[in-house]
Amino acid sequence: GLIDMLWIYSDSSRTEEATKFGDGDTIYLKITDTETKGDTKTLTVKNDQIRNTISINVTDSNRDSFYLGSFVIYSGVNDDANDKLALFDGQTATITADLAGDGVFSAKQITADYGIAPTASIIYDPSSVTENTDVAVILGTSEDVTQVPTSLIITFSDGSSSDITLAGIVPGSTFTGYFTVTDEVPDGQATFSLAEGALVDEDGDSGNTITSGETILIDRSSPPAPYTLTAIATDSTIKLTWTVPTETDLDQYNIYRGTYSGGENFNTPVGIIIASGQNSYEWIDYNIILGMTYYYVVRAEDIASNESGNSSEASAAVTTQLLSLGFQKPFVVRSGPAKVIIRVSESTNVSIRIFNLNSLIVYEWNSYFSSSEEKEWAWNGVNMYGEEVNNGVYIWRIEAGDEEITKIVGVLR
């Protein structure tokens, strides 16, 4: 017998010969054997990777002993459907023709080329890291990868770079490597990318497609501390208020409490307020003992878990007295005023008189308060005529009913 001649085409008119086909494409065949004529013959098509096989019927075209037939490749399950071969991207199939059945045959190979680049999906945890933090970098590969990356390149904000070595990845699985942020790594953004040509598909073609998790934020800088912290007691609680700088990457505010000045427990905050872009925040302490003075500071924490220094300290105690005050420290008039939050438990008149050290009154203020009402009052260091007073020490005398509270305030411009 003679060797069967086999041609493979991409079009039904059988004019475009091809060896690579897309998902769902029809492969058109033409075969001849000068010693074979008539009847329907059978060809064998086998997926070279998963070994599924289908049989293709070809028919004599009554023209120069050519037999014609076709079949479809698709990225589906291996159901061994006649004229339909399961062939995934990058896999090959062998077509064997032996029309005469004499064992003298022709075989040709086709490749499934679905236009899918071998991909690596990079994710990381956490998204923002501080110094000496181990960053878990997870690399997942697509099914069509045969040779996995040998390195992952991290490029920092200053242009320097470092590598994470990757090995032993099975196609379609994931590999986790670690990178530790040190003091040699600059704050800013770091970008992950695969080494050039390190990712290879089953055809030997390289690709470096990264589909997610391309950057990481390295942040070792502490955020600015909150300021103008004020504590004021109500009938049964202590309310804190504070002001904050313009927020950038802030995550939360941590409230710490102690029972003496400087005695705050910084191991565990007594309260946490989530940052929401406001200019000021408040928090209420319900867990208090009547008559005990509590001292508070607030710290800001960014998304990389960097914590700021302390705010100014504020203190308050819940008592049965009529008048409660919340001072904002330090008690000095500089470029801004000294402020106090005033609260009364019952309706009453409140007066504030300010004296110099010669016992001369320089300013007076009066206001009526309803029961449980709060008001904020600020002094800019002026007298009753709006004139700036001299630098020095001044005495605030705040009265409500029969109660009086005295406070020393400085003026220093």
Side-chain angles (χ1 to χ4, degrees), residues 96-349:
T96 304
D98 181 9
L99 300 183
D102 55 8
V104 181
F105 60 88
S106 178
K108 285 191 176 181
Q109 193 176 68
I110 62 169
T111 301
D113 184 6
Y114 299 159
I116 303 174
T119 61
S121 177
I122 298 174
I123 57 177
Y124 52 84
D125 181 32
S127 60
S128 184
V129 295
T130 56
E131 190 170 345
N132 298 322
T133 301
D134 285 335
V135 182
V137 183
I138 303 172
L139 180 70
T141 58
S142 56
E143 293 287 349
D144 57 326
V145 173
T146 56
Q147 179 179 329
V148 298
T150 55
S151 64
L152 184 66
I153 300 172
I154 309 173
T155 304
F156 304 109
S157 296
D158 65 351
S160 61
S161 62
S162 183
D163 293 350
I164 296 177
T165 299
L166 306 173
I169 307 176
V170 177
S173 66
T174 60
F175 174 82
T176 302
Y178 292 91
F179 171 71
T180 302
V181 176
T182 67
D183 58 2
E184 297 178 355
V185 176
D187 278 3
Q189 181 174 288
T191 302
F192 293 111
S193 60
L194 294 176
E196 182 67 30
L199 193 62
V200 179
D201 66 16
E202 292 187 348
D203 291 329
D205 299 325
S206 63
N208 289 310
T209 303
I210 299 175
T211 58
S212 66
E214 293 181 336
T215 61
I216 190 169
L217 178 64
I218 298 171
D219 180 9
R220 295 190 301 273
S221 302
S222 298
Y227 55 93
T228 61
L229 177 65
T230 302
I232 185 168
T234 66
D235 295 335
S236 58
T237 63
I238 296 176
K239 183 175 72 174
L240 302 183
T241 60
W242 63 91
T243 309
V244 298
T246 302
E247 294 187 18
T248 53
D249 63 342
L250 292 184
D251 182 46
Q252 64 188 41
Y253 295 93
N254 303 322
I255 299 104
Y256 299 97
R257 187 181 75 175
T259 54
Y260 59 91
S261 180
E264 289 83 6
N265 177 11
F266 294 110
N267 292 323
T268 305
V270 293
I272 294 175
I273 294 293
I274 301 301
S276 58
Q278 300 170 213
N279 294 324
S280 62
Y281 293 84
E282 70 174 40
W283 177 80
I284 297 176
D285 192 353
Y286 295 94
N287 186 23
I288 60 173
I289 299 174
L290 184 66
M292 178 173 287
T293 300
Y294 293 95
Y295 296 81
Y296 302 88
V297 295
V298 178
R299 293 177 176 178
E301 183 176 316
D302 65 18
I303 60 175
S305 300
N306 297 304
E307 196 175 51
S308 74
N310 293 340
S311 68
S312 57
E313 187 180 64
S315 62
V318 173
T319 66
T320 57
Q321 63 188 26
L322 171 65
L323 181 63
S324 298
L325 303 178
F327 289 95
Q328 295 183 341
K329 295 181 179 181
F331 306 115
V332 178
V333 177
R334 294 184 185 271
S335 57
K339 295 181 181 179
V340 62
I341 297 176
I342 306 165
R343 185 183 186 279
V344 295
S345 59
E346 299 176 5
S347 299
T348 187
N349 286 306

